[in-house]
Amino acid sequence: MTKIHVLDDNTINKIAAGEVVERPASVIKELIENAMDAGATRIEVEIMAGGTSFMRVTDNGKGMSKEDASVAILRHATSKIQEVSDLNSISTMGFRGEALPTIASVSRFTMLTREPGSDLGTKVEISGGKAPDIIEMGCNVGTSIKVEDLFFNTPARKKFLKTNHTEGGKINDFIIKLALSRPDIAFQFINNNKTSVVTPGNGNLYDTVQAIYGGQVADSLLTLNLEDEDLKISGFITKPSMLKSSRTWQTFIVNGRIIQNRAIAKAIDNAYRSLIPKSGFPFTVLKIEVPQRTIDVNVHPQKSEMKFEDESRIFKAVYKSVLDAIRPSSGNLTEVAAVVEKPKVKYSMEPMQFVPASSPAPQVSTSRPAQGSYQPKTIYEAVSRPAVKPAVSFAEAQAKLQQERQVHYQQAERHNEVADGQNIDKSNSDMSNDPSKIDMSTADPSTVEQPMENTGRMIPIGQVDLTYIIAQDLKGLYIIDQHAAHERILFDKLSAMADGIPSQQLLVHQLLTFDRKEAALVEDNKELFAKLGFHLEAAGDFDYRLMEVPADVPVGEAEDIIREILTDLGNMHETTAKEIRQACLATTACRAAIKAGEELNMRQMEILLDELSTTAFPYTCPHGRPTILKFSSEDLAKMFKRTGFGF
């Protein structure tokens, strides 16, 4: 009697189920991909108990005849390919012919399907891989597949499933990725009788992202766009201010198929280096279109991996498209401002003091507090604090404010024209058409309208807590972290100096003493310190004389910067020279930047905003903190509950 024998079909299907059907989410993925291949424009998914007890996928595709339905449940039965050469030009999601029989072998499987024009549909029932029961019955056009009691006959596999909440979350993630890959299909996901995901199915990827993730993510999207011969990249990526702690919301789509690829992920990470913290990942929907002959999808049973003919070209193309997206096309800071995530409004009640009309107004002291007893908190308190003036009417105050603001805009406009080398002299016709050139001294403030010009520039209006700059434009209100903004400006300036950072010589050299480990790091990285602008010369076993420091670094900060750089160098492992230089530049920029608590005047704020608008990546500081937050007019209206009242 021979010891080697051929396994029966039921056993083969259960073994294959371990590769194709790993968990309930794998079942949903296979069934949805079949619905996509069937030309469905609407797909509904319903589950109970994380999919372990009940799953149903219903579509409005072309359905199947009774004969096709009878064959579809057989192993390796497919309509997608005919011969081995077809593997080189696969354009459908499925092609192995394994999904339906393997799912049916480990569950209680029911399929209803009907072709357009047929009077009756077909019902197929299979319980645990046994002989199918096939009958005719009435049903809608398309296909509806119900899977119950998954892994009921393979308890060893069932016990490795996670909690119902975790399994339901996996299904939710798969449906979201599939919906992003096909924005032309309307998806609806119902989890435990509650609708979780609904997409419009209008073919617009932006609308699909907004329907799934909400308006805050949609407002932070940057467009990806690159075309190079037979390679095309499109999609969206969020600003560096909108991050998650994992890659679960990064979706890579190649020729309509969702894949996982380390080279693509690495290209995005490299493009976002110095813009985000090490633990953050931007939201990404990356769609790549390449000739079918240049890829191989027959790599993994779940078709989640793909081989490229030239992976280095894909890496470079993704890197360039992401870099082009996050680099602002203009110097408009409003395009890069981060949207405030779910602002929480807090209200406080303060007592109101009423003075009768016949009573004299209370005397307000106009003298400043004694020196040393008063610590200003705002630029208004630090600089202005004007004496109390006689009361004026609202119209008079408004007219004066408009006049002061107009003078401010005229000065800013003249400054820009001089900087650009333009001729300030304009013709009389230009003067009459430009509201910024109207002579406010002769105009009637009550009749002249003073709209703010939409020049794309932010106008600073003050400083809060001597840390944040408040600015405005026609689109809303902006809060800028002065330290993070200046840190980004300095970092980009230092990074652009590839041949070395300009140094300033010290009249009095500083003597720095290190321990044995730090002295070894200084000696090993002497060339790096020189390129960073620090000239160190040995003055003993563990002593070094500091002779030059970078031009942008305060002399008093030099020693602290060097010691922080040495700490970073000591904590690094297997890093490249580029990464070391970047970390050192980030430390230098951080220590040299304007600190929180430093008072700035209006001109300094203007310069800071102008320089930030000219940087390559103004979204965040080199350590990943956002530089700008935006409160749009709609956000402010919601926060003050002005929506729905008509005023």
Side-chain angles (χ1 to χ4, degrees), residues 226 233 264 266-272 313-325 578:
L226 185 142
I233 294 178
I264 296 176
K266 185 66 174 176
I268 295 174
D269 291 346
N270 286 359
Y272 267 68
R313 184 189 178 197
I314 300 296
F315 177 91
K316 294 176 182 177
V318 171
Y319 178 83
K320 185 179 185 306
S321 65
V322 174
L323 208 61
D324 291 343
K578 183 178 180 181

Side-chain angles (χ1 to χ4, degrees), residues 490 493-494 497 500-506 528-536 546-559 561-562 565 581 584-585 587-589 591-592:
L490 292 178
K493 284 183 178 180
L494 298 177
M497 300 173 184
I501 298 171
S503 302
Q504 57 178 336
Q505 293 186 353
L506 300 180
L528 172 63
F529 278 106
K531 288 186 177 180
L532 293 175
F534 296 98
H535 182 62
L536 294 164
L546 178 61
M547 305 171 65
E548 296 179 3
V549 298
D552 288 329
V553 172
V555 177
E557 298 278 354
E559 181 177 355
I561 293 175
I562 292 174
I565 291 175
R581 172 179 164 82
C584 296
L585 291 179
T587 300
T588 304
R591 295 306 299 261

Side-chain angles (χ1 to χ4, degrees), residues 16-295:
E19 298 178 345
V20 179
V21 184
E22 180 184 4
R23 62 197 325 154
S26 305
V27 175
I28 296 297
K29 176 177 178 292
E30 295 291 343
L31 297 182
I32 291 179
E33 287 182 347
N34 283 344
M36 290 178 174
D37 291 338
T41 59
R42 187 178 66 255
I43 299 175
E44 181 181 297
V45 181
E46 186 177 359
I47 68 169
M48 298 290 289
T52 56
S53 65
F54 176 85
M55 290 180 284
R56 180 165 56 201
V57 177
T58 304
D59 67 72
N60 64 343
K62 57 187 178 183
M64 290 181 284
S65 64
K66 182 177 180 180
E67 293 76 15
D68 286 340
S70 302
V71 178
I73 57 177
L74 301 178
R75 187 168 170 78
H76 297 307
T78 180
S79 62
K80 315 297 173 58
I81 60 174
Q82 297 289 338
E83 54 190 18
V84 67
S85 60
D86 294 338
L87 293 174
N88 298 325
S89 58
I90 297 173
S91 59
T92 56
M93 296 292 102
F95 58 89
R96 297 176 183 273
E98 291 183 310
L100 294 185
T102 52
I103 293 171
S105 68
V106 292
S107 67
R108 306 188 194 280
F109 177 90
T110 304
M111 178 173 66
L112 287 172
T113 182
R114 180 165 76 91
E115 287 183 313
S118 298
D119 295 332
L120 291 174
T122 304
K123 180 179 180 181
V124 179
E125 287 186 331
I126 305 175
S127 180
K130 297 179 181 179
D133 184 13
I134 304 175
I135 61 173
E136 288 185 336
M137 68 176 299
C139 63
N140 294 327
V141 173
T143 303
S144 177
I145 296 179
K146 181 172 61 176
V147 178
E148 298 175 289
D149 297 334
L150 185 66
F151 300 139
F152 79 97
N153 55 349
T154 53
R157 188 175 301 280
K158 188 173 184 178
K159 72 177 183 179
F160 285 103
L161 294 177
K162 306 297 183 182
T163 63
N164 292 342
H165 178 75
T166 301
E167 297 298 340
K170 294 288 185 181
I171 294 175
N172 187 83
D173 292 343
F174 264 124
I175 292 176
I176 286 176
K177 290 182 179 294
L178 290 168
L180 293 174
S181 69
R182 291 294 301 272
D184 58 318
I185 299 178
F187 283 84
Q188 184 176 12
F189 174 46
I190 303 173
N191 186 358
N192 292 329
N193 297 322
K194 294 182 179 179
T195 302
S196 298
V197 177
V198 176
T199 63
N202 59 0
N204 190 310
L205 180 58
Y206 180 88
D207 292 343
T208 303
V209 173
Q210 188 176 36
I212 294 173
Y213 294 105
Q216 290 182 344
V217 173
D219 290 342
S220 298
L221 293 180
L222 302 171
T223 303
L224 298 173
N225 189 15
L226 185 142
E227 291 191 31
D228 181 19
E229 297 179 359
D230 55 357
L231 172 65
K232 182 179 179 181
I233 294 178
S234 60
F236 295 104
I237 194 166
T238 54
K239 300 173 184 177
S241 54
M242 181 69 69
L243 303 175
K244 288 286 187 179
S245 59
S246 67
R247 296 189 188 275
T248 53
W249 73 340
Q250 290 187 345
T251 304
F252 307 144
I253 306 164
V254 179
N255 289 8
R257 189 182 303 277
I258 300 169
I259 67 162
Q260 298 174 357
N261 188 274
R262 295 182 63 183
I264 296 176
K266 185 66 174 176
I268 295 174
D269 291 346
N270 286 359
Y272 267 68
R273 183 175 296 163
S274 84
L275 292 176
I276 60 177
K278 295 181 179 179
S279 59
F281 301 94
F283 167 84
T284 309
V285 182
L286 187 68
K287 303 183 74 173
I288 303 176
E289 297 179 20
V290 294
Q292 200 67 34
R293 56 178 172 77
T294 63
I295 58 176

Side-chain angles (χ1 to χ4, degrees), residues 298-352:
N298 191 26
V299 178
H300 193 274
Q302 295 181 359
K303 303 179 287 292
S304 61
E305 297 179 7
M306 182 179 293
K307 284 187 176 180
F308 293 95
E309 185 179 62
D310 188 357
E311 194 167 68
S312 63
R313 184 189 178 197
I314 300 296
F315 177 91
K316 294 176 182 177
V318 171
Y319 178 83
K320 185 179 185 306
S321 65
V322 174
L323 208 61
D324 291 343
I326 61 179
R327 182 184 291 116
S329 57
S330 64
N332 191 349
L333 288 180
T334 62
E335 297 177 359
V336 304
V339 179
V340 179
E341 298 186 35
K342 298 180 180 178
K344 296 181 180 180
V345 183
K346 294 184 179 180
Y347 300 93
S348 61
M349 297 294 293
E350 296 184 1
M352 299 182 65

